[in-house]
Amino acid sequence: MIDLLNKIGLTDLEARCYLTLHEEPNLSGYEVAKRVSVSRSNVYSALRSLTEKGACRYIDGEPVRYDAVPIEQLVRHLQIEFEQTTKSLISQLKTMPKNENSFYNWQGDNQIKTAIHRIIANAQTIIVADLWSEDLHWVEEDLLEAEKRGVTVVLVIIGECQTSLKNVFVHVRSDEWSISMARKFSILCDSQTALLGGFGGDAKHTALETSQPAIIEMLKTAFYHDIIMQHIERDFAEELTVKYGEKYHKIIDYYNKDKGWNI
């Protein structure tokens, strides 16, 4: 709970004081300090800050007593304030023309989560996400929210999964694919912005964000090949197995063993 309150602008101590007042209203600053086990001077400072932020209110008296503002009212106040602030920022800060050839690097779980959330939140028409089933939790909530606002979401996933998303293409996982290996992922939004990276393995998680046209076309082509093969495999599964072997091993063996390509 503390981390959620941090996200709406409360410090750790302010969050602890707020939760204390939420659970037991009409407390003095001294009583709050006893419950959070922090010095009275720091607690009084936190209570003043909470009052200025609109998160708590006080009753004059001897001593002064404090109540938490109901969370629904606080959140609504912050939402309206945030919307007004963002409108002002958008109107006053003109967006510079973007450089389509730029490549932006993200490293570590927090940076990647933030990048995923941002590019999906800004998608307007269609999102194509391609990843392993083990990594669906990174994007599922954001993709479901995008569907709710009318964006077409297509999920291409390696391995079976349980999801409420509407458009899902499942790749059957080959036995030799190791879950511990670096698992690639890509997210393509509106055929304009792409995020590519990898999870798993021992290396630090990294991702690359770009609008570079060649990368965008590469991801679109890969997606077209995916959906074409999905339909072909569905309609001609038996014939393909007889001709090319289970999971196309005859084709793969020809290039890897006979021709020595070692792909």
Side-chain angles (χ1 to χ4, degrees):
M1 187 64 68
I2 297 289
D3 59 333
L4 293 177
L5 291 170
N6 290 157
K7 290 182 178 180
I8 64 171
L10 304 189
T11 67
D12 283 357
L13 179 55
E14 289 169 357
R16 290 169 62 193
C17 293
Y18 178 85
L19 291 173
T20 299
L21 293 170
H22 174 74
E23 294 167 1
E24 189 178 354
N26 199 30
L27 295 178
S28 68
Y30 171 74
E31 290 169 327
V32 175
K34 283 181 62 178
R35 284 159 176 76
V36 299
S37 300
V38 175
S39 68
R40 276 185 285 175
S41 60
N42 287 338
V43 166
Y44 279 117
S45 177
L47 291 171
R48 284 194 298 271
S49 179
L50 284 171
T51 303
E52 291 171 359
K53 292 176 179 178
C56 90
R57 48 198 172 184
Y58 64 91
I59 304 166
D60 265 328
E62 190 57 47
V64 173
R65 296 193 169 273
Y66 297 87
D67 282 350
V69 170
I71 192 63
E72 297 86 357
Q73 295 182 23
L74 175 60
V75 168
R76 184 58 184 151
H77 157 68
L78 293 174
Q79 285 175 332
I80 293 174
E81 189 175 65
F82 180 77
E83 289 168 3
Q84 291 172 341
T85 301
T86 53
K87 285 179 182 177
S88 295
L89 286 171
I90 291 170
S91 66
Q92 294 178 39
L93 292 176
K94 303 301 181 183
T95 302
M96 299 293 290
K98 64 181 180 180
N99 184 351
E100 292 184 339
N101 292 312
S102 295
F103 293 89
Y104 304 101
N105 296 297
W106 303 109
Q107 294 188 1
D109 292 1
N110 290 337
Q111 288 189 12
I112 293 175
K113 284 179 182 178
T114 300
I116 288 172
H117 179 77
R118 174 176 50 80
I119 69 167
I120 291 178
N122 281 278
Q124 298 180 0
T125 57
I126 185 169
I127 301 168
V128 178
D130 186 340
L131 67 160
W132 288 53
S133 57
E134 285 80 10
D135 305 316
L136 178 58
H137 65 92
W138 285 80
V139 300
E140 185 174 25
E141 185 177 348
D142 290 325
L143 294 178
L144 287 169
E145 285 296 321
E147 274 193 344
K148 286 180 183 177
R149 67 175 190 270
V151 177
T152 298
V153 175
V154 182
L155 175 66
V156 180
I157 196 144
I158 300 173
E160 295 290 341
C161 69
Q162 296 293 324
T163 181
S164 300
L165 291 165
K166 298 174 184 176
N167 307 303
V168 182
F169 293 88
V170 178
H171 282 296
V172 177
R173 182 177 295 163
S174 179
D175 295 335
E176 60 268 21
W177 293 358
S178 169
I179 295 175
S180 62
M181 66 189 292
R183 303 183 300 268
K184 62 89 178 175
F185 77 90
S186 66
I187 303 170
L188 178 61
C189 296
D190 299 333
S191 294
Q192 294 180 345
T193 303
L195 188 70
L196 307 91
F199 300 122
D202 297 327
K204 188 175 185 179
H205 293 164
T206 60
L208 187 73
E209 179 184 348
T210 186
S211 296
Q212 214 280 338
I215 302 297
I216 300 300
E217 288 304 312
M218 180 186 71
L219 292 177
K220 289 170 66 176
T221 300
F223 171 62
Y224 294 148
H225 288 169
D226 268 334
I227 58 175
I228 289 169
M229 286 303 300
Q230 287 271 339
H231 283 272
I232 291 173
E233 289 175 350
R234 183 190 63 195
D235 296 338
F236 303 101
E238 186 174 340
E239 294 93 326
L240 290 170
T241 301
V242 171
K243 177 70 174 176
Y244 300 117
E246 190 73 25
K247 298 176 183 175
Y248 308 106
H249 75 81
K250 291 182 181 179
I251 298 176
I252 295 170
D253 286 349
Y254 169 72
Y255 286 101
N256 281 346
K257 297 178 180 178
D258 296 353
K259 294 183 73 67
W261 287 9
N262 194 30
I263 300 174

